[in-house]
Amino acid sequence: MTLADQPPAAALVFQTLLQHGPLSRAELGRRTGLTPGAVTKAAASLMADDWITEGGRPTTERTNGRPATLVEVRPGRALFAGVKVTGEELIGVLADLTARPLASHRVALDSRDVGTVVLAIARLVDRLRVAADLAGEDALHGIGVTISGDVDSRLGTVQYSPFLNWRRVPLAQLVEEATGTPTVIENDVRALTVAEQWYGAGVGVSIFALVTVGAGIGAGLSIGGRVVSGAHGVAGEIGHLPVTGVERICTCGNTGCVEAVASTHAIAEQARQATGDPKLTMDDAVRLAHAGDPTVRAVFARAGHAVGLALACVANLIGPERIIISGEGVASYDLFADHIRQAFVDHAFGAAVDCDLLVRPLPFEEWARGGAAVAAQRVFAPTR
């Protein structure tokens, strides 16, 4: 029996163990709201199919009555591959049910052609299998591919990815056909949010947002333990909030978007205009700003102000306990941190200003783990 075939109570018990286990049956009941009998029945069903097992004893034993026995997920019961697609490379991770990485690898992309990328994903998955010493098709339960842009995970379609210039690509079907393994796709920021919800800075936080600053600017929203996709699959696209008052054209074709001012590409482009140096790179801009160049520091100040406004919008809309700030752009966070904080404080309404802003640099391997986590999630919650 697959987890998708288990009754809802069993899926709830499994998900709770996955995020918070090992737990005693009594603690499972408290966390899930299920009766002791329902917990026992669900655990027995999961145990019979080897999804969970009894482990050790709690560190603090009860002084009377029967000692509690902990129940935990069997991590190796199912393995998943996660792949993050960027415009230049693929980052792959093979992980177990708890998202513990077993192998990782990166490969450069020679072309952004759909067929070439799909073939490269299939080869990367094969390489991960070999690295983890997997044998047989059944050893891998699923693949999760994450990609920036407008992704309809339910249809398995990349509706639009500006960095790859893809439109209406049935990526899940193509990868599944190329690998022979069930495949799901997800927006990369939402997938990273799932990972943070499971085993990162979002564990135990009822409402949080993950905002990524880099080649693009996006957000994942976790509300009540559920990562929100939105009715049309575009929830969290804060990079396209028109909050800057600057007439710069964004990759989406509109003007004044946060991303048009604060993405790494936009910062480098503005720094080139400010210095008159057409060959200036993002690294050059960071170096000049650290050296005190006023024109380049002004570019980072504008970017920080725009990001701070976006964070305030998020705080005002959903009232998160925490906003996690990540992405490759946080490598230069010190250059616009004060401007982000000031704009956030100035525009967050009331108690929203108390939201915890947590800067958390994460390598792309963590984003790939998010893909594996999404694939694992679909095993026990196929209609999330």
Side-chain angles (χ1 to χ4, degrees):
M1 180 187 295
T2 67
L3 276 172
D5 298 324
Q6 293 277 359
L12 178 58
V13 165
F14 184 82
Q15 184 173 7
T16 303
L17 285 173
L18 196 60
Q19 292 184 263
H20 305 291
L23 299 171
S24 68
R25 288 174 173 80
E27 182 61 21
L28 273 170
R30 283 191 288 271
R31 287 180 179 266
T32 61
L34 297 172
T35 65
V39 170
T40 298
K41 183 177 180 181
S45 177
L46 291 166
M47 213 169 288
D49 203 31
D50 291 332
W51 287 105
I52 67 174
T53 185
E54 288 189 336
R57 299 280 174 82
T59 54
T60 55
E61 292 278 8
R62 292 187 293 184
T63 57
N64 52 43
R66 182 180 176 183
T69 300
L70 298 179
V71 183
E72 59 188 349
V73 169
R74 291 186 64 245
R77 175 64 171 78
L79 303 179
F80 302 89
V83 179
K84 174 173 169 55
V85 182
T86 76
E88 292 74 35
E89 65 178 342
L90 303 178
I91 302 92
V93 169
L94 188 75
D96 63 19
L97 261 174
T98 62
R100 178 175 62 95
L102 306 175
S104 64
H105 191 67
R106 292 187 177 212
V107 294
L109 283 178
D110 298 325
S111 167
R112 298 179 183 181
D113 169 73
V114 173
T116 302
V117 173
V118 169
L119 181 59
I121 291 173
R123 288 174 174 168
L124 175 58
V125 170
D126 283 341
R127 187 156 188 166
L128 291 171
R129 286 178 186 270
V130 172
D133 197 25
L134 296 189
E137 292 293 323
D138 294 336
L140 193 62
H141 275 64
I143 299 170
V145 180
T146 75
I147 190 169
S148 66
D150 180 358
V151 176
D152 190 324
S153 58
R154 287 166 291 190
L155 294 178
T157 302
V158 178
Q159 302 287 41
Y160 175 51
S161 181
F163 301 113
L164 293 167
N165 196 27
W166 287 3
R167 293 183 183 273
R168 293 179 291 279
V169 174
L171 187 62
Q173 177 186 340
L174 294 173
V175 173
E176 189 162 328
E177 289 172 351
T179 61
T181 303
T183 300
V184 296
I185 65 170
E186 183 57 280
N187 169 271
D188 56 355
V189 178
R190 283 200 296 269
L192 184 60
T193 306
V194 171
E196 288 295 279
Q197 180 190 68
W198 275 24
Y199 51 79
V203 172
V205 181
S206 61
I207 301 177
F208 76 90
L210 170 76
V211 173
T212 57
V213 180
I217 295 175
L221 309 176
S222 177
I223 302 175
R226 182 185 180 90
V227 176
V228 178
S229 297
H232 306 288
V234 292
E237 290 292 341
I238 67 166
H240 301 291
L241 288 174
V243 299
T244 66
V246 177
E247 295 302 309
R248 284 182 52 80
I249 298 176
C250 181
T251 55
C252 69
N254 293 320
T255 58
C257 294
V258 177
E259 196 168 291
V261 177
S263 70
T264 51
H265 172 77
I267 289 173
E269 188 175 79
Q270 291 170 94
R272 285 193 287 270
Q273 293 171 349
T275 61
D277 182 354
K279 296 182 179 180
L280 196 77
T281 66
M282 181 63 179
D283 288 340
D284 294 332
V286 170
R287 187 165 51 253
L288 285 173
H290 278 142
D293 185 299
T295 59
V296 179
R297 290 187 71 86
V299 169
F300 280 96
R302 286 194 297 272
H305 181 75
V307 172
L309 290 177
L311 298 184
C313 287
V314 172
N316 292 342
L317 282 171
I318 68 171
E321 178 181 339
R322 174 175 295 159
I323 297 178
I324 304 163
I325 305 168
S326 192
E328 63 269 32
V330 302
S332 53
Y333 187 77
D334 62 300
L335 290 171
F336 43 47
D338 290 344
H339 304 283
I340 289 175
R341 169 57 69 175
Q342 190 61 56
F344 178 79
V345 169
D346 289 345
H347 295 275
F349 179 74
V353 76
D354 295 327
C355 174
D356 175 31
L357 300 184
L358 175 65
V359 179
R360 184 165 155 79
L362 295 168
F364 277 155
E365 280 74 13
E366 292 299 310
W367 295 58
R369 281 179 75 192
V374 168
Q377 189 180 60
R378 292 299 178 87
V379 171
F380 65 85
T383 58
R384 70 172 181 86

Short mmCIF file of all heavy atoms in Angstrom, two decimals, residues 7-52:
data_model
loop_
_atom_site.label_atom_id
_atom_site.label_comp_id
_atom_site.label_asym_id
_atom_site.label_seq_id
_atom_site.Cartn_x
_atom_site.Cartn_y
_atom_site.Cartn_z
N PRO A 7 -5.53 5.79 4.88
CA PRO A 7 -6.61 6.69 5.30
C PRO A 7 -6.05 8.03 5.75
O PRO A 7 -4.87 8.14 6.09
CB PRO A 7 -7.27 5.93 6.46
CG PRO A 7 -6.24 4.96 6.93
CD PRO A 7 -5.43 4.60 5.73
N PRO A 8 -6.89 9.07 5.76
CA PRO A 8 -6.41 10.42 6.12
C PRO A 8 -5.71 10.48 7.47
O PRO A 8 -4.73 11.21 7.62
CB PRO A 8 -7.70 11.26 6.12
CG PRO A 8 -8.61 10.55 5.17
CD PRO A 8 -8.31 9.09 5.34
N ALA A 9 -6.19 9.72 8.45
CA ALA A 9 -5.56 9.75 9.77
C ALA A 9 -4.12 9.25 9.70
O ALA A 9 -3.22 9.80 10.35
CB ALA A 9 -6.36 8.91 10.77
N ALA A 10 -3.89 8.21 8.90
CA ALA A 10 -2.55 7.67 8.77
C ALA A 10 -1.63 8.67 8.08
O ALA A 10 -0.46 8.85 8.47
CB ALA A 10 -2.57 6.36 8.00
N ALA A 11 -2.14 9.36 7.05
CA ALA A 11 -1.34 10.37 6.36
C ALA A 11 -0.98 11.50 7.32
O ALA A 11 0.13 12.03 7.30
CB ALA A 11 -2.09 10.91 5.15
N LEU A 12 -1.94 11.88 8.19
CA LEU A 12 -1.69 12.94 9.16
C LEU A 12 -0.63 12.52 10.17
O LEU A 12 0.28 13.30 10.50
CB LEU A 12 -2.99 13.30 9.88
CG LEU A 12 -2.90 14.38 10.97
CD1 LEU A 12 -2.35 15.68 10.39
CD2 LEU A 12 -4.27 14.61 11.61
N VAL A 13 -0.71 11.29 10.64
CA VAL A 13 0.28 10.77 11.58
C VAL A 13 1.66 10.74 10.92
O VAL A 13 2.66 11.15 11.51
CB VAL A 13 -0.11 9.37 12.07
CG1 VAL A 13 1.07 8.67 12.75
CG2 VAL A 13 -1.28 9.46 13.05
N PHE A 14 1.70 10.29 9.68
CA PHE A 14 2.99 10.20 8.97
C PHE A 14 3.60 11.58 8.78
O PHE A 14 4.80 11.78 9.02
CB PHE A 14 2.79 9.51 7.62
CG PHE A 14 4.08 9.30 6.88
CD1 PHE A 14 4.90 8.23 7.18
CD2 PHE A 14 4.48 10.19 5.89
CE1 PHE A 14 6.10 8.04 6.51
CE2 PHE A 14 5.67 10.01 5.22
CZ PHE A 14 6.48 8.92 5.54
N GLN A 15 2.79 12.54 8.35
CA GLN A 15 3.31 13.88 8.12
C GLN A 15 3.82 14.49 9.42
O GLN A 15 4.85 15.17 9.45
CB GLN A 15 2.23 14.77 7.52
CG GLN A 15 2.73 16.17 7.17
CD GLN A 15 1.70 16.99 6.42
OE1 GLN A 15 0.55 16.58 6.27
NE2 GLN A 15 2.09 18.15 5.96
N THR A 16 3.10 14.24 10.51
CA THR A 16 3.52 14.78 11.80
C THR A 16 4.85 14.17 12.24
O THR A 16 5.74 14.86 12.75
CB THR A 16 2.43 14.51 12.86
OG1 THR A 16 1.20 15.09 12.42
CG2 THR A 16 2.82 15.11 14.21
N LEU A 17 5.00 12.87 12.03
CA LEU A 17 6.26 12.21 12.37
C LEU A 17 7.39 12.72 11.48
O LEU A 17 8.53 12.88 11.93
CB LEU A 17 6.13 10.69 12.22
CG LEU A 17 5.35 9.98 13.31
CD1 LEU A 17 5.14 8.51 12.93
CD2 LEU A 17 6.08 10.07 14.65
N LEU A 18 7.08 12.96 10.23
CA LEU A 18 8.09 13.42 9.29
C LEU A 18 8.65 14.78 9.72
O LEU A 18 9.86 15.04 9.62
CB LEU A 18 7.48 13.51 7.89
CG LEU A 18 8.41 13.60 6.70
CD1 LEU A 18 9.31 12.38 6.63
CD2 LEU A 18 7.60 13.72 5.43
N GLN A 19 7.77 15.66 10.20
CA GLN A 19 8.20 17.00 10.56
C GLN A 19 8.69 17.12 12.00
O GLN A 19 9.55 17.95 12.30
CB GLN A 19 7.05 17.99 10.33
CG GLN A 19 6.69 18.19 8.87
CD GLN A 19 5.62 19.24 8.69
OE1 GLN A 19 4.45 18.94 8.56
NE2 GLN A 19 6.03 20.48 8.67
N HIS A 20 8.15 16.28 12.90
CA HIS A 20 8.43 16.49 14.32
C HIS A 20 8.93 15.25 15.06
O HIS A 20 9.26 15.34 16.23
CB HIS A 20 7.17 16.98 15.03
CG HIS A 20 6.56 18.20 14.42
ND1 HIS A 20 7.15 19.43 14.48
CD2 HIS A 20 5.41 18.36 13.70
CE1 HIS A 20 6.40 20.31 13.83
NE2 HIS A 20 5.34 19.70 13.35
N GLY A 21 8.96 14.09 14.39
CA GLY A 21 9.32 12.86 15.07
C GLY A 21 10.80 12.76 15.40
O GLY A 21 11.60 13.61 14.98
N PRO A 22 11.17 11.70 16.16
CA PRO A 22 10.33 10.65 16.72
C PRO A 22 9.40 11.19 17.83
O PRO A 22 9.78 12.11 18.55
CB PRO A 22 11.31 9.63 17.30
CG PRO A 22 12.64 9.99 16.71
CD PRO A 22 12.61 11.47 16.46
N LEU A 23 8.21 10.57 17.95
CA LEU A 23 7.24 10.97 18.95
C LEU A 23 6.60 9.75 19.58
O LEU A 23 6.50 8.69 18.95
CB LEU A 23 6.14 11.83 18.32
CG LEU A 23 6.55 13.16 17.66
CD1 LEU A 23 5.36 13.75 16.91
CD2 LEU A 23 7.05 14.15 18.69
N SER A 24 6.15 9.92 20.80
CA SER A 24 5.35 8.86 21.42
C SER A 24 3.94 8.91 20.83
O SER A 24 3.52 9.92 20.25
CB SER A 24 5.29 9.07 22.93
OG SER A 24 4.55 10.24 23.24
N ARG A 25 3.18 7.86 21.01
CA ARG A 25 1.81 7.84 20.52
C ARG A 25 0.96 8.90 21.21
O ARG A 25 0.10 9.53 20.60
CB ARG A 25 1.21 6.45 20.70
CG ARG A 25 1.76 5.40 19.73
CD ARG A 25 1.24 4.02 20.06
NE ARG A 25 1.62 3.04 19.06
CZ ARG A 25 2.82 2.45 18.99
NH1 ARG A 25 3.77 2.78 19.87
NH2 ARG A 25 3.07 1.54 18.06
N ALA A 26 1.24 9.12 22.50
CA ALA A 26 0.50 10.14 23.23
C ALA A 26 0.77 11.54 22.65
O ALA A 26 -0.14 12.35 22.48
CB ALA A 26 0.87 10.10 24.71
N GLU A 27 2.04 11.80 22.33
CA GLU A 27 2.39 13.09 21.76
C GLU A 27 1.82 13.23 20.34
O GLU A 27 1.41 14.33 19.93
CB GLU A 27 3.91 13.27 21.73
CG GLU A 27 4.40 14.60 21.19
CD GLU A 27 3.93 15.80 21.99
OE1 GLU A 27 3.55 15.63 23.18
OE2 GLU A 27 3.92 16.91 21.43
N LEU A 28 1.77 12.13 19.60
CA LEU A 28 1.13 12.15 18.28
C LEU A 28 -0.33 12.56 18.40
O LEU A 28 -0.84 13.35 17.60
CB LEU A 28 1.23 10.78 17.61
CG LEU A 28 2.48 10.49 16.80
CD1 LEU A 28 2.53 9.01 16.41
CD2 LEU A 28 2.51 11.36 15.55
N GLY A 29 -1.00 12.02 19.42
CA GLY A 29 -2.39 12.39 19.64
C GLY A 29 -2.54 13.87 19.95
O GLY A 29 -3.45 14.54 19.44
N ARG A 30 -1.65 14.39 20.78
CA ARG A 30 -1.73 15.81 21.13
C ARG A 30 -1.48 16.70 19.92
O ARG A 30 -2.14 17.72 19.74
CB ARG A 30 -0.71 16.12 22.23
CG ARG A 30 -1.14 15.67 23.62
CD ARG A 30 -0.25 16.24 24.70
NE ARG A 30 1.08 15.62 24.70
CZ ARG A 30 1.39 14.54 25.38
NH1 ARG A 30 0.46 13.93 26.12
NH2 ARG A 30 2.62 14.04 25.35
N ARG A 31 -0.54 16.30 19.09
CA ARG A 31 -0.19 17.16 17.95
C ARG A 31 -1.20 17.06 16.81
O ARG A 31 -1.39 18.02 16.05
CB ARG A 31 1.21 16.79 17.42
CG ARG A 31 2.34 17.24 18.34
CD ARG A 31 3.70 16.84 17.77
NE ARG A 31 4.80 17.27 18.60
CZ ARG A 31 5.48 18.39 18.45
NH1 ARG A 31 5.15 19.22 17.46
NH2 ARG A 31 6.48 18.70 19.25
N THR A 32 -1.83 15.90 16.65
CA THR A 32 -2.76 15.71 15.54
C THR A 32 -4.22 15.92 15.92
O THR A 32 -5.07 16.12 15.05
CB THR A 32 -2.63 14.28 14.96
OG1 THR A 32 -2.96 13.33 15.99
CG2 THR A 32 -1.22 14.04 14.45
N GLY A 33 -4.50 15.83 17.22
CA GLY A 33 -5.89 15.92 17.66
C GLY A 33 -6.66 14.62 17.51
O GLY A 33 -7.88 14.58 17.71
N LEU A 34 -5.96 13.54 17.15
CA LEU A 34 -6.61 12.23 17.00
C LEU A 34 -6.76 11.55 18.36
O LEU A 34 -5.97 11.80 19.29
CB LEU A 34 -5.79 11.34 16.07
CG LEU A 34 -5.63 11.81 14.63
CD1 LEU A 34 -4.64 10.92 13.88
CD2 LEU A 34 -6.98 11.82 13.90
N THR A 35 -7.75 10.70 18.48
CA THR A 35 -7.95 9.94 19.71
C THR A 35 -6.85 8.88 19.82
O THR A 35 -6.23 8.50 18.81
CB THR A 35 -9.31 9.24 19.71
OG1 THR A 35 -9.33 8.26 18.66
CG2 THR A 35 -10.45 10.23 19.51
N PRO A 36 -6.59 8.37 21.04
CA PRO A 36 -5.59 7.31 21.19
C PRO A 36 -5.85 6.12 20.30
O PRO A 36 -4.93 5.55 19.70
CB PRO A 36 -5.69 6.95 22.67
CG PRO A 36 -6.16 8.21 23.32
CD PRO A 36 -7.11 8.82 22.34
N GLY A 37 -7.12 5.74 20.18
CA GLY A 37 -7.45 4.60 19.32
C GLY A 37 -7.15 4.87 17.86
O GLY A 37 -6.65 4.00 17.14
N ALA A 38 -7.44 6.11 17.41
CA ALA A 38 -7.17 6.47 16.01
C ALA A 38 -5.68 6.49 15.73
O ALA A 38 -5.22 6.07 14.66
CB ALA A 38 -7.80 7.82 15.68
N VAL A 39 -4.89 6.99 16.71
CA VAL A 39 -3.43 7.01 16.55
C VAL A 39 -2.90 5.59 16.46
O VAL A 39 -2.06 5.27 15.60
CB VAL A 39 -2.76 7.77 17.71
CG1 VAL A 39 -1.24 7.56 17.68
CG2 VAL A 39 -3.08 9.24 17.64
N THR A 40 -3.37 4.72 17.34
CA THR A 40 -2.91 3.33 17.34
C THR A 40 -3.23 2.65 16.02
O THR A 40 -2.39 1.94 15.44
CB THR A 40 -3.57 2.56 18.50
OG1 THR A 40 -3.16 3.15 19.74
CG2 THR A 40 -3.16 1.10 18.49
N LYS A 41 -4.45 2.85 15.52
CA LYS A 41 -4.86 2.23 14.25
C LYS A 41 -4.03 2.76 13.08
O LYS A 41 -3.56 1.99 12.23
CB LYS A 41 -6.34 2.50 14.01
CG LYS A 41 -6.89 1.84 12.76
CD LYS A 41 -8.39 2.08 12.61
CE LYS A 41 -8.94 1.42 11.35
NZ LYS A 41 -10.40 1.68 11.21
N ALA A 42 -3.82 4.09 13.06
CA ALA A 42 -3.04 4.68 11.97
C ALA A 42 -1.61 4.20 12.01
O ALA A 42 -1.01 3.86 10.97
CB ALA A 42 -3.11 6.20 12.05
N ALA A 43 -1.02 4.17 13.22
CA ALA A 43 0.37 3.73 13.36
C ALA A 43 0.53 2.28 12.95
O ALA A 43 1.52 1.90 12.30
CB ALA A 43 0.84 3.94 14.78
N ALA A 44 -0.46 1.44 13.30
CA ALA A 44 -0.38 0.02 12.95
C ALA A 44 -0.40 -0.16 11.44
O ALA A 44 0.33 -0.99 10.88
CB ALA A 44 -1.53 -0.73 13.60
N SER A 45 -1.23 0.63 10.76
CA SER A 45 -1.32 0.53 9.30
C SER A 45 -0.01 0.96 8.64
O SER A 45 0.49 0.30 7.72
CB SER A 45 -2.48 1.41 8.80
OG SER A 45 -2.55 1.38 7.39
N LEU A 46 0.57 2.05 9.13
CA LEU A 46 1.83 2.54 8.58
C LEU A 46 2.98 1.57 8.89
O LEU A 46 3.86 1.35 8.06
CB LEU A 46 2.15 3.92 9.15
CG LEU A 46 1.25 5.07 8.69
CD1 LEU A 46 1.46 6.29 9.58
CD2 LEU A 46 1.51 5.41 7.23
N MET A 47 2.94 0.99 10.08
CA MET A 47 3.99 0.07 10.47
C MET A 47 3.93 -1.22 9.65
O MET A 47 4.96 -1.79 9.29
CB MET A 47 3.87 -0.24 11.97
CG MET A 47 5.20 -0.49 12.67
SD MET A 47 5.01 -0.52 14.46
CE MET A 47 4.72 1.20 14.78
N ALA A 48 2.73 -1.65 9.34
CA ALA A 48 2.56 -2.88 8.57
C ALA A 48 3.15 -2.75 7.17
O ALA A 48 3.59 -3.74 6.57
CB ALA A 48 1.07 -3.24 8.48
N ASP A 49 3.18 -1.53 6.67
CA ASP A 49 3.72 -1.29 5.33
C ASP A 49 5.12 -0.70 5.38
O ASP A 49 5.62 -0.20 4.37
CB ASP A 49 2.79 -0.35 4.56
CG ASP A 49 2.94 -0.50 3.06
OD1 ASP A 49 3.25 -1.61 2.58
OD2 ASP A 49 2.76 0.51 2.35
N ASP A 50 5.74 -0.75 6.57
CA ASP A 50 7.14 -0.34 6.75
C ASP A 50 7.41 1.15 6.56
O ASP A 50 8.57 1.54 6.38
CB ASP A 50 8.08 -1.14 5.83
CG ASP A 50 8.17 -2.60 6.24
OD1 ASP A 50 7.99 -2.89 7.44
OD2 ASP A 50 8.41 -3.44 5.36
N TRP A 51 6.37 1.98 6.63
CA TRP A 51 6.62 3.41 6.53
C TRP A 51 7.17 3.99 7.83
O TRP A 51 7.91 4.96 7.82
CB TRP A 51 5.34 4.16 6.13
CG TRP A 51 4.95 3.95 4.71
CD1 TRP A 51 3.95 3.17 4.24
CD2 TRP A 51 5.59 4.51 3.55
NE1 TRP A 51 3.90 3.22 2.87
CE2 TRP A 51 4.89 4.03 2.42
CE3 TRP A 51 6.66 5.38 3.36
CZ2 TRP A 51 5.25 4.40 1.12
CZ3 TRP A 51 7.01 5.75 2.07
CH2 TRP A 51 6.31 5.26 0.96
N ILE A 52 6.77 3.40 8.95
CA ILE A 52 7.27 3.86 10.23
C ILE A 52 7.71 2.66 11.06
O ILE A 52 7.40 1.51 10.73
CB ILE A 52 6.21 4.67 11.03
CG1 ILE A 52 5.03 3.76 11.44
CG2 ILE A 52 5.73 5.86 10.23
CD1 ILE A 52 4.02 4.48 12.35
#
